[in-house]
Amino acid sequence: MMRAVISALAIAAWSLPADAQSMSARLNDYPTEVRADYIFGCMAVSGQSRAVLGKCSCSIDVIASILPYDKYVQAETVLSLQQAGGEQVAMFKSAVVPRTMVADLRRAQAEAEMLCF
């Protein structure tokens, strides 16, 4: 009996796609604190209800499924720098790479908005 169970587990593990772990890791690479911070901000703008909590949670999950965490951090950093003034941050407002980073984040946010709200 025990041998049959072990064999069944071995077959099940063997039949999993090779990239299953990497896909799972990619979808869960956003730290909990970052997800919570996003949800708090979203709820501050959208409302303080249980329904909005669900929508905001959905939103960050969609963003995380589209944009890897490191790209999210880069885009958020660029957005922060763009809000500051002065000549030192002018390149973050006009250069192609930072604009592309922000555009990717905006597209992910738009997708999340359509799917979750």
Side-chain angles (χ1 to χ4, degrees), residues 13-117:
W14 182 261
S15 64
L16 288 174
D19 64 341
Q21 188 176 14
S22 64
M23 176 59 87
S24 175
R26 190 180 74 75
L27 293 176
N28 293 308
D29 67 343
Y30 282 52
T32 302
E33 181 179 352
V34 171
R35 288 179 186 261
D37 187 53
Y38 178 92
I39 293 166
F40 287 142
C42 176
M43 290 181 72
V45 172
S46 305
Q48 303 288 326
S49 70
R50 179 76 175 129
V52 172
L53 171 63
K55 291 176 181 181
C56 291
S57 298
C58 171
S59 181
I60 190 63
D61 289 344
V62 170
I63 292 169
S65 74
I66 295 170
L67 204 61
Y69 178 64
D70 61 330
K71 302 278 187 201
Y72 177 82
V73 170
Q74 291 169 0
E76 285 288 326
T77 302
V78 169
L79 284 172
S80 284
L81 291 170
Q82 286 178 347
Q83 291 176 355
E87 288 183 33
Q88 286 102 5
V89 298
M91 72 174 213
F92 291 104
K93 295 180 180 181
S94 61
V96 173
V97 173
R99 282 195 326 231
T100 302
M101 291 176 182
V102 171
D104 290 344
L105 176 59
R106 296 285 188 226
R107 280 191 285 278
Q109 290 173 328
E111 182 75 19
E113 180 82 19
M114 289 188 312
L115 293 173
C116 300
F117 283 89

Side-chain angles (χ1 to χ4, degrees), residues 5-15:
V5 171
I6 292 172
S7 295
L9 290 174
I11 291 169
W14 182 261
S15 64

